[in-house]
Amino acid sequence: MPKVIKIEGGHQLEGEVAISGSKNATVALIPAAVLANGPVTIVGVPEIEDVKNLSEILKLLNVEVHQPASDHLIIDPTHMRNIDLTADAVTKLRASYYFMGALLGKYHYVRMKMPGGCYLGPRPIDLHLKGFEALGAKVEYNRGCYEIKADRLIGDKIFLDISSVGATINIMMAAVYAEGRTTIENAAKEPEIIDVATLLNKMGACIRGAGTNVITIDGVKSLNGCFHEIIPDRIEAGTYIVIAAACAKKMKITNIIPHHLEALLSKLEEMGVNMDITVDSVTIEHTDHLRPIDVTTKPYPGFATDLQQPLTVLLTQAEGESKVEETIYIERFKHCAELAKMGADIEIGNGEAEIHGPTSLYGTKVAATDLRCGAAMIIAGLLAEGVTTISNIYHIDRGYDHIDEKLNALGAKVWREKVDDEEEN
Ligand code: EPU
């Protein structure tokens, strides 16, 4: 029976919250680990559904997975075998596509279903596939499955038309064992890419330039196991920072890398949010008046598209008209329709939204149409008068570690209830 999240809004939050390891790094680090020939220990693993699904895929590949602590994962691919990835777990998240690069790199062959994940408008993977082809692979798509194979993988120069996070990471993984040098130009620069390159280099790969727009990978013959600690989740951090700005008396968000959050923090400063930033934390105190702002999403280090949805909720509380322009996923505005059900005054145009504030929000039934829409609904529920009921919460559980517990520890009133299918929809 599906569950909903219910939130009784209007409670001022207070206290400290620690941010978990990065989801978007973790979902790439797990497939990357199979490139090793020995056990890889990853710590700081968030407890989220995406990790459970990836672990299920690992087990199908006969990779041993141990979890000595809730945030530790030991991945041992010593007895791994390459099989067709057609299980449901593959379609439950988008990041299963990192097995394409990893298995192609290791075995020169991969056959897998189309990956799933949040629908944010069309999400093509043409750049991943072009990258594999540039390394010498042949790609075929038949009856819902990709088959990618190569006799040899040979390093090449690959220019990405769009600096895609997924394509950059996938090509890096396919290229670690390729002969000679691969160069990725116009590579994405997100911190998660540096984290994956760091893991691969600890395993013995030779990757230079991660975090810049030119990455070179010199192929190696063998990779070993290693130990790796995941970077903090900048999107989870950003979500709690927005929660603090929206409804906290005083809240400290710890285990963050403020440098990864500069675009958000500078926008919040422009709004007049009261913040004290240290080397690994930010403390936010209640502000009476929030100023409206204009925000445009951009690849890192620009304003993250994933934080656009949570931020929109805060903008409903600013005094005046704010504008959000979405340049990464121009259809990523489903949260606005849900917010409108709660009383927000938002006009949606082509790839942009105008938010007229301040508006009071009231609790009603809304849906988490995708992961970050879910985060936005949680923030709206915390702010709203009355009880908000959020359905489709599997999206939230894919990416937020113990969100109910973390919020309740801050003084929120969040709980789950079972509902029948009809009520959920
Ligand atoms: N794109 C193409 N062709 C491709 C790949 C991407 O046209 O082959 C386009 C996309 O359609 C999009 C743009 O390039 O317009 C950027 O997409 P990117 O490939 O960078 O996104 P992604 O790797 O699929 C990751 C995160 C997303 C995040 C985006 C943008 C993971 C697992 N997902 O997706 O995170 O929104 O980068 O930063 O890392 C989330 O966490 O909620 C989430 C959706």
Side-chain angles (χ1 to χ4, degrees):
M1 223 195 279
K3 277 187 178 168
V4 292
I5 288 181
K6 290 200 174 185
I7 303 176
E8 182 186 280
H11 299 281
Q12 248 198 349
L13 308 187
E14 195 165 9
E16 204 171 299
V17 61
I19 298 307
S20 304
S22 160
K23 160 194 163 284
N24 285 347
T26 305
V27 297
L29 294 167
I30 292 174
V34 308
L35 285 157
N37 296 312
V40 174
T41 302
I42 306 178
V43 305
V45 180
E47 274 188 77
I48 53 173
E49 286 301 311
D50 275 8
V51 168
K52 287 189 192 150
N53 281 311
L54 289 170
S55 300
E56 213 173 290
I57 298 174
L58 290 177
K59 286 174 190 160
L60 293 172
L61 292 164
N62 208 36
V63 173
E64 279 179 41
V65 184
H66 303 285
Q67 200 171 4
S70 62
D71 69 338
H72 281 44
L73 217 51
I74 302 174
I75 299 169
D76 187 354
T78 309
H79 304 294
M80 181 177 175
R81 54 159 197 259
N82 192 11
I83 60 149
D84 292 357
L85 292 179
T86 53
D88 281 351
V90 174
T91 57
K92 287 195 179 142
L93 75 166
R94 183 149 186 88
S96 49
Y97 61 26
Y98 288 131
F99 281 106
M100 285 182 178
L103 295 177
L104 179 67
K106 187 160 183 166
Y107 296 107
H108 292 186
Y109 181 84
V110 54
R111 185 165 174 273
M112 70 176 278
K113 266 191 184 165
M114 184 72 191
C118 291
Y119 182 78
L120 310 173
R123 296 180 77 180
I125 58 166
D126 55 310
L127 299 171
H128 306 228
L129 303 176
K130 277 186 199 159
F132 299 149
E133 283 170 342
L135 298 175
K138 287 209 163 35
V139 180
E140 278 181 32
Y141 185 70
N142 271 320
R143 286 178 285 144
C145 272
Y146 285 100
E147 188 181 49
I148 309 169
K149 56 184 166 192
D151 294 330
R152 289 168 70 190
L153 290 171
I154 302 171
D156 200 352
K157 200 176 263 192
I158 297 163
F159 180 88
L160 297 179
D161 295 334
I162 303 172
S163 59
S164 151
V165 176
T168 303
I169 293 178
N170 235 338
I171 295 167
M172 258 176 11
M173 294 212 242
V176 283
Y177 281 129
E179 297 165 43
R181 174 169 289 189
T182 301
T183 308
I184 310 174
E185 292 181 354
N186 196 31
K189 296 185 281 201
E190 272 68 0
E192 294 76 22
I193 292 163
I194 305 179
D195 210 29
V196 177
T198 304
L199 173 86
L200 291 170
N201 282 344
K202 283 183 193 167
M203 283 160 52
C206 189
I207 302 174
R208 300 287 174 267
T212 77
N213 56 11
V214 181
I215 299 178
T216 59
I217 304 120
D218 288 312
V220 295
K221 293 249 181 300
S222 166
L223 295 172
N224 340 311
C226 69
F227 175 91
H228 184 74
E229 186 169 354
I230 304 168
I231 55 169
D233 193 315
R234 65 195 167 97
I235 309 301
E236 189 199 15
T239 304
Y240 282 96
I241 289 170
V242 172
I243 288 173
C247 35
K249 189 168 169 209
K250 186 172 180 182
M251 193 166 136
K252 186 174 182 185
I253 297 110
T254 63
N255 190 35
I256 66 166
I257 300 178
H259 176 64
H260 291 170
L261 288 153
E262 261 168 20
L264 172 70
L265 296 174
S266 74
K267 280 292 160 190
L268 293 182
E269 206 172 303
E270 204 182 318
M271 290 182 75
V273 175
N274 198 340
M275 296 182 289
D276 179 24
I277 303 166
T278 72
V279 67
D280 60 359
S281 74
V282 56
T283 303
I284 295 177
E285 281 192 68
H286 176 75
T287 320
D288 274 330
H289 300 286
L290 292 171
R291 290 187 286 272
I293 50 160
D294 290 350
V295 184
T296 303
T297 64
K298 290 271 166 68
Y300 187 83
F303 193 93
T305 167
D306 300 329
L307 288 175
Q308 173 266 107
Q309 292 162 291
L311 184 74
T312 308
V313 186
L314 188 63
L315 296 179
T316 67
Q317 305 305 302
E319 295 168 6
E321 192 176 296
S322 297
K323 200 161 144 186
V324 171
E325 194 189 344
E326 174 59 67
T327 71
I328 314 287
Y329 296 112
I330 59 166
E331 292 179 31
R332 200 172 196 172
F333 285 109
K334 290 214 180 83
H335 60 297
C336 293
E338 300 303 307
L339 284 173
K341 293 181 193 164
M342 299 177 73
D345 181 0
I346 305 179
E347 276 171 69
I348 303 170
N350 188 19
E352 57 182 43
E354 259 181 31
I355 302 107
H356 309 278
T359 46
S360 302
L361 301 177
Y362 47 86
T364 186
K365 284 186 184 177
V366 290
T369 58
D370 57 79
L371 169 58
R372 308 304 171 186
C373 167
M377 292 308 108
I378 296 256
I379 303 168
L382 293 169
L383 270 171
E385 197 190 312
V387 174
T388 300
T389 303
I390 308 174
S391 61
N392 295 30
I393 58 170
Y394 55 90
H395 282 299
I396 299 173
D397 293 334
R398 279 192 35 229
Y400 284 92
D401 187 354
H402 289 104
I403 191 158
D404 330 17
E405 286 93 328
K406 287 189 183 185
L407 289 171
N408 286 334
L410 292 162
K413 284 212 161 37
V414 180
W415 70 100
R416 289 173 190 236
E417 274 181 21
K418 283 191 177 153
V419 290
D420 58 37
D421 286 0
E422 268 169 53
E423 198 185 331
E424 198 202 16
N425 298 313

